[in-house]
Amino acid sequence: MYDVIIIGAGPAGVSAGIYSVSRGKRVLVIEKKAVGGLVGNISTVTHYAGIMSQETGESFSERLKAQAEAAGIDFVYEEVTKVSLIGSTKTIYTENNKYEGKKVILASGTTPRKLEIPGEAELSGKGMGMNAARDGVKYAGKNVYVVGGADGAIKEAIFLSRIAKTVTIVHFEETLGCIAEFKKKVEAADNIKVRLHSRITVVAGSDRVTSLDILDESTGETQRITDSDVGIFVYAGATPNTELYSELKLVEGFVPTNDQMETELSGVYAIGDIRLKEVKQISTAVCDGTLAGIAAAKNE
């Protein structure tokens, strides 16, 4: 029996674990893939207070893992398949095991959205849906496309502009939705182009993407672009990983909480990007985890 079970080892989950274990609680973190979550896939970490110079998502995640392990948190790397959150004992099921705890903190994060267009599934990893931090070097001196206009997308576009020949940002709205700092960097880069009110509607190719269609929603015109080796990086938002939490009332897939990260169920907390809130950043995830970790460690 654990005092606190945490589902998810991103910045929110690890922060919650550190604060709970520091208060003498036996803590288990269940993580599907790797400590850091989606943060491990981003090219650079910015704006978070105290980061190292040239901090990458990978380096940040590695330091996060080392800190958590040094704190004495137990980790298991398994996928959660079912949860039972009602009652004084919470049960978390994975494919081969079940774990019981007095408190549960949900920190399961989000899954990046796909475009759901023809050719996307067949060409995934073959020029479509690439990862800037991992795959950017493959496109040195080549043409790449970044889908999305929020901070995350534009930050990756700026990173890719140092590698690729050209970077074209494709965004369906009339203006980019990123912060002023990133807009200035886009304007200053001579190899970044921006195509607003536009969408990629089709990708095609045999063993890799060799053509894509871009629809201009203002004119209704579609342009077909052919390129022997093109990279498309999609940052079109994310879906909260809350499908297992049917015992909770969700709002558009997100979990409502109070200021202490408590859900409507006693002993159940929700933190990070699955929580219903306006600002989703590493700093706010860590804040959520801090509050939930402390609250969950209190004896009731």
Side-chain angles (χ1 to χ4, degrees), residues 259-278:
D259 290 344
Q260 297 302 307
M261 308 298 123
E262 295 171 314
T263 71
E264 61 183 320
L265 297 179
S266 176
V268 179
Y269 306 78
I271 58 177
D273 287 356
I274 66 166
R275 188 170 82 85
L276 184 65
K277 60 180 180 178
E278 183 177 350

Side-chain angles (χ1 to χ4, degrees), residues 5-263:
I5 295 177
I6 301 168
I7 302 175
V14 171
S15 177
I18 289 170
Y19 276 90
S20 284
V21 80
S22 72
R23 283 154 174 76
K25 300 304 178 181
R26 187 178 181 221
V27 178
L28 173 68
V29 174
I30 304 174
E31 167 57 41
K32 180 180 177 180
K33 293 183 179 178
V35 173
L38 291 181
V39 171
N41 296 326
I42 65 176
S43 60
T44 52
V45 178
T46 56
H47 306 133
Y48 185 78
I51 55 174
M52 300 192 320
S53 176
Q54 304 301 313
E55 185 85 88
T56 67
E58 183 179 8
S59 67
F60 186 87
S61 296
E62 287 174 350
R63 294 194 296 111
L64 199 66
K65 181 180 180 181
Q67 183 181 0
E69 290 177 341
I73 298 171
D74 292 335
F75 282 88
V76 293
Y77 294 92
E78 302 174 25
E79 183 174 359
V80 174
T81 58
K82 180 182 175 182
V83 299
S84 178
L85 302 176
I86 297 174
S88 58
T89 297
K90 323 296 183 184
T91 307
I92 311 300
Y93 300 86
T94 64
E95 185 174 350
N96 299 313
N97 297 292
K98 75 172 184 177
Y99 303 94
E100 294 183 336
K102 300 173 185 176
K103 309 279 184 70
V104 169
I105 300 176
L106 309 175
S108 42
T110 58
T111 297
R113 286 197 188 101
K114 297 185 182 299
L115 299 183
E116 305 294 344
I117 60 174
E120 181 178 31
E122 295 82 357
L123 292 167
S124 177
K126 302 174 183 178
M128 181 67 198
M130 309 305 288
N131 176 282
R134 183 189 64 231
D135 305 311
V137 66
K138 301 175 186 177
Y139 294 92
K142 300 177 182 179
N143 301 313
V144 303
Y145 294 78
V146 173
V147 178
D151 289 345
I154 305 309
K155 182 164 65 173
E156 299 306 295
I158 294 166
F159 170 78
L160 288 166
S161 71
R162 305 179 194 127
I163 303 169
K165 179 181 179 182
T166 66
V167 177
T168 302
I169 298 170
V170 181
H171 187 44
F172 69 91
E173 295 193 10
E174 296 296 322
T175 60
L176 295 178
C178 62
I179 60 175
E181 175 188 334
F182 293 161
K183 285 182 180 179
K184 289 179 181 179
K185 289 181 178 180
V186 167
E187 293 167 357
D190 58 10
N191 64 336
I192 297 181
K193 306 173 185 176
V194 180
R195 295 189 62 158
L196 298 172
H197 45 76
S198 298
R199 298 179 187 270
I200 297 178
T201 55
V202 178
V203 293
S206 53
D207 60 344
R208 64 181 183 274
V209 176
T210 54
S211 74
L212 61 150
D213 290 1
I214 299 181
L215 168 67
D216 185 318
E217 295 193 324
S218 290
T219 65
E221 296 180 357
T222 296
Q223 178 186 12
R224 174 157 294 176
I225 297 167
T226 58
D227 195 320
S228 60
D229 191 6
V230 64
I232 302 172
F233 300 78
V234 179
Y235 301 96
T239 303
N241 297 324
T242 54
E243 62 276 5
L244 295 179
Y245 308 145
S246 59
E247 295 164 301
L248 289 168
K249 293 178 183 177
L250 305 177
V251 177
E252 297 182 352
F254 295 92
V255 185
T257 73
N258 62 16
D259 290 344
Q260 297 302 307
M261 308 298 123
E262 295 171 314
T263 71

